[in-house]
Amino acid sequence: MHVEVEMKTTTGYSGAQIALHWLVAVLLVVAWLTGEGAAEALEAIEEGGAPGFVPHVALGLAILALSVLRLLVRLGRGAPEAAGTPGSFQVRVAGWVHVALYVLMIAVPLGGISAWFLGLETGDIHGLFANLLMVLALGHAGLALYHQYVLKDGTLARMMRAE
Ligand code: HEM
Ligand code: HEM
């Protein structure tokens, strides 16, 4: 089965795409680090306490909104072709990793919302997929650095300068 991952091809990422990429990356790390606090707040509520302000929930909701916006910009404007031979194994893997990151950026907050607002038993799976998202993002970041500093193909630079 062959599914086309890259849709519209551009010469570079727009300023909006670059700003959203780095903003969401920072927020995701902070959300990941504050998950414990949400778990404690959920427990307190189950024991009859008041929720109060939970930074993790606010962050997670912001990430969901920004990720949906980001996806819409991505689908509307497109993205530059990955470095390397078009259609090669590496280029296709890069495309699928980007798709997986988008899916997780949206699915993870939805799992959190289900646990927090709907009281569903999605807390554990939410935490599990959040960890998977972090592992993928870390690999993604490592490969970006490898491209920039070992292969020297300017991959990181295009997530810095708008075109
Ligand atoms: C992409 C954004 C998010 C990330 C990376 C993330 C990450 C995490 C992580 C790693 C945990 C596990 C903490 C632990 O068990 O020690 C957690 C728990 C939790 N998160 Fe999130 N989260 C995100 C978005 C959200 C949103 C939008 C909500 C709610 C509106 C939410 C609500 C919760 C709740 C209620 C728990 C506790 C689950 C339980 O223990 O049953 N999260 N989150
Ligand atoms: C949680 C963190 C991160 C997430 C979720 C994430 C997600 C993504 C996604 C989905 C793309 C595809 C382009 C798009 O449609 O926006 C992308 C591109 C990119 N990311 Fe990240 N990213 C993260 C962190 C990082 C970090 C830390 C680095 C650098 C060390 C990095 C470097 C890049 C580069 C250079 C591109 C462009 C790749 C290309 O042109 O082929 N990202 N990122």
Side-chain angles (χ1 to χ4, degrees):
M1 183 181 72
H2 178 75
V3 180
E4 203 61 54
V5 176
E6 291 302 326
M7 303 166 82
K8 284 175 205 155
T9 304
T10 58
T11 53
Y13 293 104
S14 69
Q17 282 174 308
I18 292 170
L20 284 166
H21 175 268
W22 294 114
L23 178 61
V24 170
V26 170
L27 293 180
L28 273 173
V29 173
V30 183
W32 186 70
L33 294 173
T34 55
E36 198 100 31
E40 283 162 16
L42 192 61
E43 217 165 299
I45 293 164
E46 280 160 2
E47 285 161 10
F53 178 73
V54 181
H56 181 77
V57 170
L59 272 166
L61 292 176
I63 291 168
L64 177 60
L66 291 170
S67 299
V68 169
L69 176 65
R70 193 173 156 186
L71 181 60
L72 293 175
V73 172
R74 171 71 174 76
L75 294 176
R77 184 181 190 269
E81 212 161 327
T85 317
S88 67
F89 178 69
Q90 283 100 317
V91 166
R92 276 184 290 143
V93 169
W96 281 112
V97 169
H98 290 170
V99 170
L101 285 169
Y102 271 114
V103 169
L104 287 170
M105 281 189 280
I106 290 167
V108 168
L110 290 179
I113 286 170
S114 308
W116 184 257
F117 294 109
L118 308 177
L120 301 180
E121 303 279 327
T122 52
D124 288 344
I125 195 108
H126 168 69
L128 198 74
F129 277 94
N131 290 344
L132 179 64
L133 171 55
M134 282 299 126
V135 169
L136 262 188
L138 218 68
H140 160 80
L143 280 169
L145 295 175
Y146 177 75
H147 270 274
Q148 180 70 25
Y149 297 107
V150 180
L151 302 180
K152 300 189 194 301
D153 59 9
T155 294
L156 187 59
R158 61 187 193 174
M159 214 19 127
M160 307 282 214
R161 267 193 311 271
E163 235 175 85

